[in-house]
Amino acid sequence: TNAIANADADAPNVFQIVVNFLHHQLDDEKHTEEQVKNVIDIFPQALFMLDYNSNYDADCFPIQSAACYFASDGRSAISFIPLLAYEGSRFNAHGREVSRGGLFYEIPYGEEGESESSVTFLVEGFDNNSN
């Protein structure tokens, strides 16, 4: 959040910093729920922004990035998934009733038209890590 607080006054650059933060920098050990909620309250449209995620090899929303980075790069953002889902529902991200704030939003990936939701990724990720 220091990058956000110290960002240049140019709004598009600040917005891109927020999108990057939600996708690639959320960390259970570094950030609090209150900090993340404050960022979302200021930039709710960041919840709607896609960004490339190498685990899915597809564009993802922040809630999906939080779900898949827990095992891949040493940081965890799992504790923020309920907040991201709640805030996503509050701002009607990805269709409130269908996806519950992005939690059940399916990410299309692969050449054979597969798709996976954040919930599926979490269950499979935990299952794969427990073997």
Side-chain angles (χ1 to χ4, degrees), residues 9-10 73 94:
D10 185 14
D73 69 356
H94 329 300

Side-chain angles (χ1 to χ4, degrees), residues 71-93:
S72 68
D73 69 356
R75 73 180 167 85
S76 175
I78 288 179
S79 70
F80 298 112
I81 292 174
L83 174 68
L84 292 169
Y86 176 81
E87 295 298 315
S89 289
R90 185 166 74 108
F91 291 106
N92 201 22

